[in-house]
PDB file of all heavy atoms in Angstrom:
ATOM      1  N   GLY F 279     -11.384 -21.882 -40.129  1.00 88.00           N
ATOM      2  CA  GLY F 279      -9.942 -22.035 -40.424  1.00 88.00           C
ATOM      3  C   GLY F 279      -9.142 -21.453 -39.243  1.00 88.00           C
ATOM      4  O   GLY F 279      -9.673 -20.848 -38.294  1.00 88.00           O
ATOM      5  N   PRO F 280      -7.806 -21.539 -39.333  1.00 87.00           N
ATOM      6  CA  PRO F 280      -6.970 -20.994 -38.288  1.00 87.00           C
ATOM      7  C   PRO F 280      -7.015 -19.480 -38.125  1.00 87.00           C
ATOM      8  O   PRO F 280      -6.935 -18.959 -37.024  1.00 87.00           O
ATOM      9  CB  PRO F 280      -5.589 -21.441 -38.677  1.00 87.00           C
ATOM     10  CG  PRO F 280      -5.639 -21.931 -40.083  1.00 87.00           C
ATOM     11  CD  PRO F 280      -7.056 -22.197 -40.368  1.00 87.00           C
ATOM     12  N   VAL F 286     -11.386 -15.043 -33.400  1.00 91.00           N
ATOM     13  CA  VAL F 286     -12.354 -15.299 -32.363  1.00 91.00           C
ATOM     14  C   VAL F 286     -11.717 -15.345 -30.957  1.00 91.00           C
ATOM     15  O   VAL F 286     -12.225 -14.737 -30.029  1.00 91.00           O
ATOM     16  CB  VAL F 286     -13.168 -16.570 -32.612  1.00 91.00           C
ATOM     17  CG1 VAL F 286     -13.967 -16.986 -31.409  1.00 91.00           C
ATOM     18  CG2 VAL F 286     -14.029 -16.447 -33.814  1.00 91.00           C
ATOM     19  N   ALA F 287     -10.502 -15.932 -30.915  1.00 91.00           N
ATOM     20  CA  ALA F 287      -9.786 -16.000 -29.702  1.00 91.00           C
ATOM     21  C   ALA F 287      -9.408 -14.643 -29.173  1.00 91.00           C
ATOM     22  O   ALA F 287      -9.434 -14.319 -28.020  1.00 91.00           O
ATOM     23  CB  ALA F 287      -8.622 -16.952 -29.782  1.00 91.00           C
ATOM     24  N   LEU F 288      -8.912 -13.766 -30.148  1.00 95.00           N
ATOM     25  CA  LEU F 288      -8.482 -12.439 -29.755  1.00 95.00           C
ATOM     26  C   LEU F 288      -9.688 -11.559 -29.205  1.00 95.00           C
ATOM     27  O   LEU F 288      -9.587 -10.877 -28.269  1.00 95.00           O
ATOM     28  CB  LEU F 288      -7.868 -11.775 -30.915  1.00 95.00           C
ATOM     29  CG  LEU F 288      -6.460 -12.184 -31.261  1.00 95.00           C
ATOM     30  CD1 LEU F 288      -5.938 -11.544 -32.549  1.00 95.00           C
ATOM     31  CD2 LEU F 288      -5.478 -11.818 -30.123  1.00 95.00           C
ATOM     32  N   VAL F 289     -10.786 -11.719 -29.896  1.00 94.00           N
ATOM     33  CA  VAL F 289     -11.994 -10.987 -29.443  1.00 94.00           C
ATOM     34  C   VAL F 289     -12.471 -11.474 -28.113  1.00 94.00           C
ATOM     35  O   VAL F 289     -12.833 -10.631 -27.226  1.00 94.00           O
ATOM     36  CB  VAL F 289     -13.144 -11.124 -30.510  1.00 94.00           C
ATOM     37  CG1 VAL F 289     -14.459 -10.642 -29.928  1.00 94.00           C
ATOM     38  CG2 VAL F 289     -12.790 -10.373 -31.801  1.00 94.00           C
ATOM     39  N   SER F 295     -11.007  -9.351 -20.759  1.00 93.00           N
ATOM     40  CA  SER F 295     -10.096  -8.454 -19.998  1.00 93.00           C
ATOM     41  C   SER F 295     -10.669  -7.044 -19.774  1.00 93.00           C
ATOM     42  O   SER F 295      -9.919  -6.180 -19.323  1.00 93.00           O
ATOM     43  CB  SER F 295      -8.693  -8.411 -20.706  1.00 93.00           C
ATOM     44  OG  SER F 295      -8.901  -7.856 -21.975  1.00 93.00           O
ATOM     45  N   VAL F 296     -11.861  -6.801 -20.131  1.00 94.00           N
ATOM     46  CA  VAL F 296     -12.485  -5.475 -19.977  1.00 94.00           C
ATOM     47  C   VAL F 296     -12.385  -4.967 -18.527  1.00 94.00           C
ATOM     48  O   VAL F 296     -12.020  -3.835 -18.347  1.00 94.00           O
ATOM     49  CB  VAL F 296     -13.920  -5.475 -20.552  1.00 94.00           C
ATOM     50  CG1 VAL F 296     -14.691  -4.208 -20.078  1.00 94.00           C
ATOM     51  CG2 VAL F 296     -13.902  -5.496 -22.042  1.00 94.00           C
ATOM     52  N   ARG F 308      -6.632  -0.762  -5.847  1.00 92.00           N
ATOM     53  CA  ARG F 308      -6.347  -2.156  -5.783  1.00 92.00           C
ATOM     54  C   ARG F 308      -6.406  -2.892  -7.097  1.00 92.00           C
ATOM     55  O   ARG F 308      -7.226  -3.763  -7.282  1.00 92.00           O
ATOM     56  CB  ARG F 308      -7.327  -2.743  -4.735  1.00 92.00           C
ATOM     57  CG  ARG F 308      -7.191  -2.001  -3.391  1.00 92.00           C
ATOM     58  CD  ARG F 308      -7.600  -2.682  -2.211  1.00 92.00           C
ATOM     59  NE  ARG F 308      -6.977  -3.996  -2.033  1.00 92.00           N
ATOM     60  CZ  ARG F 308      -7.454  -4.875  -1.164  1.00 92.00           C
ATOM     61  NH1 ARG F 308      -8.501  -4.575  -0.463  1.00 92.00           N
ATOM     62  NH2 ARG F 308      -6.887  -6.062  -1.058  1.00 92.00           N
ATOM     63  N   ASN F 316     -10.595 -10.991 -12.044  1.00 93.00           N
ATOM     64  CA  ASN F 316     -10.937 -11.018 -13.426  1.00 93.00           C
ATOM     65  C   ASN F 316     -10.423 -12.349 -14.087  1.00 93.00           C
ATOM     66  O   ASN F 316     -11.103 -12.914 -14.865  1.00 93.00           O
ATOM     67  CB  ASN F 316     -10.335  -9.827 -14.142  1.00 93.00           C
ATOM     68  CG  ASN F 316     -10.851  -9.733 -15.551  1.00 93.00           C
ATOM     69  OD1 ASN F 316     -11.834 -10.288 -15.970  1.00 93.00           O
ATOM     70  ND2 ASN F 316     -10.024  -9.088 -16.387  1.00 93.00           N
ATOM     71  N   GLY F 319     -12.675 -14.928 -12.803  1.00 83.00           N
ATOM     72  CA  GLY F 319     -13.956 -14.733 -13.369  1.00 83.00           C
ATOM     73  C   GLY F 319     -14.017 -15.075 -14.866  1.00 83.00           C
ATOM     74  O   GLY F 319     -15.099 -15.342 -15.380  1.00 83.00           O
ATOM     75  N   THR F 322     -15.210 -18.649 -14.647  1.00 82.00           N
ATOM     76  CA  THR F 322     -16.558 -18.897 -13.968  1.00 82.00           C
ATOM     77  C   THR F 322     -17.686 -18.102 -14.537  1.00 82.00           C
ATOM     78  O   THR F 322     -18.820 -18.578 -14.526  1.00 82.00           O
ATOM     79  CB  THR F 322     -16.411 -18.641 -12.482  1.00 82.00           C
ATOM     80  OG1 THR F 322     -16.158 -17.228 -12.254  1.00 82.00           O
ATOM     81  CG2 THR F 322     -15.325 -19.509 -11.848  1.00 82.00           C
ATOM     82  N   PHE F 325     -17.781 -14.209 -11.478  1.00 90.00           N
ATOM     83  CA  PHE F 325     -16.762 -13.289 -10.905  1.00 90.00           C
ATOM     84  C   PHE F 325     -16.303 -12.235 -11.935  1.00 90.00           C
ATOM     85  O   PHE F 325     -15.726 -11.233 -11.543  1.00 90.00           O
ATOM     86  CB  PHE F 325     -15.578 -14.037 -10.419  1.00 90.00           C
ATOM     87  CG  PHE F 325     -15.842 -14.770  -9.092  1.00 90.00           C
ATOM     88  CD1 PHE F 325     -15.700 -16.065  -9.013  1.00 90.00           C
ATOM     89  CD2 PHE F 325     -16.200 -14.106  -7.989  1.00 90.00           C
ATOM     90  CE1 PHE F 325     -15.926 -16.813  -7.840  1.00 90.00           C
ATOM     91  CE2 PHE F 325     -16.519 -14.716  -6.815  1.00 90.00           C
ATOM     92  CZ  PHE F 325     -16.371 -16.097  -6.739  1.00 90.00           C
ATOM     93  N   VAL F 328     -18.343  -9.352 -11.070  1.00 93.00           N
ATOM     94  CA  VAL F 328     -17.826  -8.803  -9.842  1.00 93.00           C
ATOM     95  C   VAL F 328     -16.613  -7.941 -10.111  1.00 93.00           C
ATOM     96  O   VAL F 328     -16.429  -6.801  -9.608  1.00 93.00           O
ATOM     97  CB  VAL F 328     -17.540  -9.894  -8.842  1.00 93.00           C
ATOM     98  CG1 VAL F 328     -16.836  -9.409  -7.643  1.00 93.00           C
ATOM     99  CG2 VAL F 328     -18.767 -10.642  -8.412  1.00 93.00           C
ATOM    100  N   PHE F 331     -17.691  -4.676 -11.769  1.00 94.00           N
ATOM    101  CA  PHE F 331     -18.280  -3.793 -10.741  1.00 94.00           C
ATOM    102  C   PHE F 331     -17.171  -3.139  -9.884  1.00 94.00           C
ATOM    103  O   PHE F 331     -17.190  -1.973  -9.600  1.00 94.00           O
ATOM    104  CB  PHE F 331     -19.284  -4.560  -9.829  1.00 94.00           C
ATOM    105  CG  PHE F 331     -19.843  -3.677  -8.769  1.00 94.00           C
ATOM    106  CD1 PHE F 331     -20.807  -2.730  -9.036  1.00 94.00           C
ATOM    107  CD2 PHE F 331     -19.410  -3.835  -7.467  1.00 94.00           C
ATOM    108  CE1 PHE F 331     -21.343  -1.999  -8.033  1.00 94.00           C
ATOM    109  CE2 PHE F 331     -19.893  -3.082  -6.451  1.00 94.00           C
ATOM    110  CZ  PHE F 331     -20.897  -2.109  -6.745  1.00 94.00           C
ATOM    111  N   PRO F 337     -12.402   3.256  -5.498  1.00 89.00           N
ATOM    112  CA  PRO F 337     -11.734   4.657  -5.499  1.00 89.00           C
ATOM    113  C   PRO F 337     -10.384   4.582  -6.295  1.00 89.00           C
ATOM    114  O   PRO F 337      -9.766   3.547  -6.332  1.00 89.00           O
ATOM    115  CB  PRO F 337     -11.516   4.906  -4.042  1.00 89.00           C
ATOM    116  CG  PRO F 337     -11.556   3.625  -3.375  1.00 89.00           C
ATOM    117  CD  PRO F 337     -12.402   2.690  -4.152  1.00 89.00           C
ATOM    118  N   ASN F 339      -6.633   6.344  -7.446  1.00 82.00           N
ATOM    119  CA  ASN F 339      -5.471   6.974  -6.820  1.00 82.00           C
ATOM    120  C   ASN F 339      -5.501   8.460  -6.950  1.00 82.00           C
ATOM    121  O   ASN F 339      -4.927   9.209  -6.113  1.00 82.00           O
ATOM    122  CB  ASN F 339      -4.185   6.464  -7.440  1.00 82.00           C
ATOM    123  CG  ASN F 339      -3.907   5.016  -7.037  1.00 82.00           C
ATOM    124  OD1 ASN F 339      -4.331   4.569  -5.980  1.00 82.00           O
ATOM    125  ND2 ASN F 339      -3.218   4.302  -7.879  1.00 82.00           N
ATOM    126  N   SER F 341      -8.309  10.367  -6.821  1.00 55.00           N
ATOM    127  CA  SER F 341      -9.323  10.912  -5.948  1.00 55.00           C
ATOM    128  C   SER F 341      -9.016  10.523  -4.517  1.00 55.00           C
ATOM    129  O   SER F 341      -9.472   9.425  -4.119  1.00 55.00           O
ATOM    130  CB  SER F 341     -10.738  10.552  -6.371  1.00 55.00           C
ATOM    131  OG  SER F 341     -10.854   9.132  -6.319  1.00 55.00           O
ATOM    132  N   GLY F 349     -16.949  15.741   9.698  1.00 55.00           N
ATOM    133  CA  GLY F 349     -17.226  14.414   9.130  1.00 55.00           C
ATOM    134  C   GLY F 349     -17.667  14.345   7.666  1.00 55.00           C
ATOM    135  O   GLY F 349     -17.783  13.308   7.109  1.00 55.00           O
TER     136      GLY F 349
END
Side-chain angles (χ1 to χ4, degrees):
V286 168
L288 285 174
V289 169
S295 63
V296 165
R308 304 204 50 196
N316 188 23
T322 63
F325 287 121
V328 172
F331 177 75
N339 289 331
S341 62

